[in-house]
Amino acid sequence: MIGPGAAGLLDLAGIFVFAVSGALAAVRQRLDVVGMVVLAEITALGGGILRDLVIGAVPPAAFTSLGYVLVPLGASALVFFWHPQVTRLLPAVLFFDAAGLGLFCVTGTVKALDHGLSPLHAVLLGVVTAVGGGVLRDMLSGQIPSVLYDRQLYALPALLGAVVIALAYEADLHGGFVSAGAALLAFGLRVLALRYGWRTPRPRGVPD
């Protein structure tokens, strides 16, 4: 796997961009600073907490590392004071959000496999790690979770990355290149969906 130092930095980077998206959601909903911090924290950490609770890795990693709590606070402060500027940088935020999605679907799947889950269940938990925080964010802000209408391919890239890393582990293929490849695959599909407006299909007869 990726070295622990590099993995930790990438993890914090993913947490930061997810926290920014949560804080921006609070701005759109006209919430105060408390609501902003809550949405930032839950978006950044919710998926990982759910994963750790399911596999019995308690206390969850979010409660054993100070950085996991401070990084979303920093993202909240950034958005609180400079949200117009951050909003103008939204394409860049979405780019890094896609990177976080790719990273988290892989790390979530690997952690589940390391705790003895079957490949299928590990894949499901990898997807939960990647999208769980966003689901909690949308629910708390009174919106239908975006994962339920995956209109610009969010859950599907996470699923693809998780499946690839699970298959690689089943074939006894490990290492940083394997993990990076699976993460890049999820990241690339998400970026292409944003670029070209790719959408998942709706049932026949249901208008867009």
Side-chain angles (χ1 to χ4, degrees):
M1 292 301 298
I2 301 170
L9 290 176
L10 290 173
D11 213 24
L12 290 177
I15 286 170
F16 178 79
V17 293
F18 279 178
V20 168
S21 73
L24 287 174
V27 172
R28 290 193 295 269
Q29 295 296 317
R30 303 176 65 86
L31 302 183
D32 62 13
V33 65
V34 175
M36 178 179 289
V37 170
V38 169
L39 286 190
E41 294 280 356
I42 202 67
T43 305
L45 305 176
I49 291 173
L50 290 173
R51 174 204 63 212
D52 289 349
L53 290 176
V54 168
I55 63 179
V58 292
F63 295 96
T64 60
S65 170
L66 191 59
Y68 277 46
V69 177
L70 293 182
V71 167
L73 286 177
S76 300
L78 176 69
V79 174
F80 182 81
F81 289 106
W82 295 290
H83 65 84
Q85 292 85 348
V86 174
T87 300
R88 284 197 292 270
L89 293 173
L90 191 57
V93 173
L94 289 174
F95 181 86
F96 286 107
D97 180 78
L101 180 80
L103 171 70
F104 283 4
C105 72
V106 168
T107 58
T109 304
V110 169
K111 191 167 185 178
L113 289 168
D114 288 343
H115 278 75
L117 269 67
S118 71
L120 174 61
H121 293 101
V123 165
L124 294 176
L125 208 49
V127 175
V128 167
T129 305
V131 308
V135 171
L136 294 173
R137 174 201 62 212
D138 293 343
M139 293 174 64
L140 287 174
S141 59
Q143 303 178 72
I144 299 174
S146 57
V147 71
L148 298 182
Y149 54 102
D150 199 14
R151 304 302 285 155
Q152 286 188 316
L153 302 191
Y154 201 77
L156 284 180
L159 177 62
L160 179 61
V163 167
V164 168
I165 198 67
L167 290 176
Y169 265 58
E170 281 294 287
D172 202 27
L173 297 174
H174 304 264
F177 286 115
V178 174
S179 298
L184 283 172
L185 188 61
F187 165 76
L189 180 56
R190 171 63 175 159
V191 169
L192 289 173
L194 289 169
R195 173 65 178 84
Y196 295 106
W198 293 345
R199 296 170 178 266
T200 50
R202 287 183 173 176
R204 179 180 297 179
V206 177
D208 284 332

